[in-house]
Amino acid sequence: MEDHPEQPPHSEDSRNFTAYEITAGAKDWTLTAAPYQRQLMDDTPGRGAYRCLPLSMANQAGWFVHASVAFTAVWSGGVEAAAVQIKFDEASVVGAEAVMSHFGSGIITFRLPFLFRTPPGIGLLARGAPNWPLVNFAPLEGLVETDWNPASFTMNWKIIEPDRPVRFEKEVPVCFIQPFDLNLPERLQAERKPLDQQSDDGRDYLAWRKDRQAFLGSEAQKRGEWQKDYFRGMDASGRAVETHRTNFRLSEFEVRGK
């Protein structure tokens, strides 16, 4: 990952998530709260993928970074940077300054024109957009401590097969940025053990499994109906779970200081 020398001050508001524009070309980029819709899910029969709440929740749990640039690239298979050839659809500041073969090994680098600042203890997962696959092109994920780090970061994509062109369209997000509690993984005490069928968890699971097995192959399923307990936030006894979420309402980035 590359960095830039600019170091704006850290926000005083512990809730603020700020994207500082650090290059003149930043105006050509957009930052938007990610929607739950995906073409992959639209294309399933009857748009049935939207019945899977975990997919929709993952889709909208962050922000899109868009460069509004389209190109075709080919990797010859070499490890040197010159082994990747990028042909842009049109000349632009974004294409000329921000998209390049920098690291070699078939990797294309997007040089994000932002310095992100998050509250203390919160970092950013920089990923490809969830459930938005590209042919022969895979995002490389990174976790960045954006609560203190004075450097910006890049988003990188790997071409999988050499001599097979990859296509990147304007509507494809360069990056999906997702807040991450940097202390959470180590606060959790992981354990693995057999399920006690007499415990609350065991009884709930067995009740769910019995209900699920009864539904599979039933006339209701044959009619295209589907069980909605999880979608509705209903536990095994039919009680509503107060903490259940069916969407995120992320704020959009407000433009300030113009």
Side-chain angles (χ1 to χ4, degrees), residues 1 118 122-126 142-147 149 151-153 182:
M1 294 197 174
T118 47
I122 302 298
L124 286 181
L125 275 171
L143 176 57
V144 188
E145 295 181 16
T146 46
D147 56 343
N149 183 19
S152 63
F153 59 84
L182 294 165

Side-chain angles (χ1 to χ4, degrees), residues 32-44 47 49-62 64 66 129-133 171-173 176 246-248 252:
T32 57
Y36 72 90
Q37 299 95 335
R38 293 290 186 276
Q39 189 64 51
L40 175 150
M41 297 169 69
D42 289 342
D43 293 341
T44 56
R47 301 176 81 240
Y50 288 105
R51 296 179 179 181
C52 180
L53 182 59
L55 289 180
S56 296
M57 292 295 285
N59 289 349
Q60 58 184 304
F64 282 163
H66 273 282
N131 302 310
W132 197 321
E171 64 266 21
V172 178
F176 181 82
T246 59
N247 58 56
F248 291 114
E252 297 290 353

Side-chain angles (χ1 to χ4, degrees), residues 4 18 30 42 47 60 68 116-118 150-151 162 174 188 194 229 253:
H4 299 287
T18 305
T30 58
D42 289 342
R47 301 176 81 240
Q60 58 184 304
S68 297
F116 292 103
R117 272 289 179 266
T118 47
V174 168
L188 300 177
D229 289 352
F253 282 88

